[in-house]
Structure formats: structure tokens, C-alpha cells
Amino acid sequence: MMRSSTIEASTWGTFDGAVERMRTDQCAGISFAITADGPYTGIDLDTCRDPQSGAIQADAQRIVESLETYTEISPSGTGLHLIARGKL
């Protein structure tokens, strides 16, 4: 099975293709590539969440609310990842 690379665009596919691979190959998940020329940017907020209680620090919560965008808990459980339309 071929894996995608974060730096090799020739290994990337479409969303529909990724969904199909999820169905047929039982992959662990779908990734989203943020590129320098793309319309999205990523924001990584570290050590702003208590993994036991789920509480988010006030300054991080203000950022999340002001951007009104997709937010997920980081793999460590102690941070947040945001994906927003825009460029740095």
C-alpha cells in the first residue's frame, strides 16, 4: 500500500479518493495537506487544554471563538489544531 508524503505532492490524492481508500483499505484516517500556495493555514495551540477535564485556557478559547473555524484536539490531548481559510 502506498503512503502519502507530507512533502511529495505526487503522492497526494483527492478527497473522494481518500474516502474510497478508507472504505476499501480500512485506513486509520484521512490527512489534509496545507501548502504554501493553498487557501488554508494551520494554527497549532500547544499546552492549552487539560486532557482530564477538557478545560481550555481562556486565551486559547478566545482564539478559537474569534476564528470560527475547524478545531480539533491534538494527538497529545493537551493542545488544539485549527484549520482556517487564509494565509500567514
Side-chain angles (χ1 to χ4, degrees):
M1 173 179 17
M2 186 175 127
R3 294 188 176 267
S4 64
S5 164
T6 59
I7 59 171
E8 189 58 49
S10 66
T11 66
W12 302 346
T14 65
F15 177 75
D16 290 337
V19 169
E20 183 59 29
R21 287 286 302 268
M22 286 287 298
R23 287 189 187 120
T24 60
D25 296 338
Q26 298 180 351
C27 300
I30 295 174
S31 295
F32 180 82
I34 298 174
T35 62
D37 59 344
Y40 298 99
T41 191
I43 301 155
D44 188 8
L45 302 177
D46 292 325
T47 61
C48 64
R49 179 181 180 272
D50 182 315
Q52 269 67 44
S53 69
I56 298 172
Q57 293 175 359
D59 55 343
Q61 186 64 41
R62 281 192 296 276
I63 292 169
V64 170
E65 290 172 1
S66 70
L67 293 176
E68 298 179 357
T69 190
Y70 174 78
T71 304
E72 67 183 17
I73 299 167
S74 64
S76 69
T78 63
L80 301 172
H81 293 161
L82 292 79
I83 298 174
R85 183 176 288 276
K87 295 184 179 270
L88 292 178

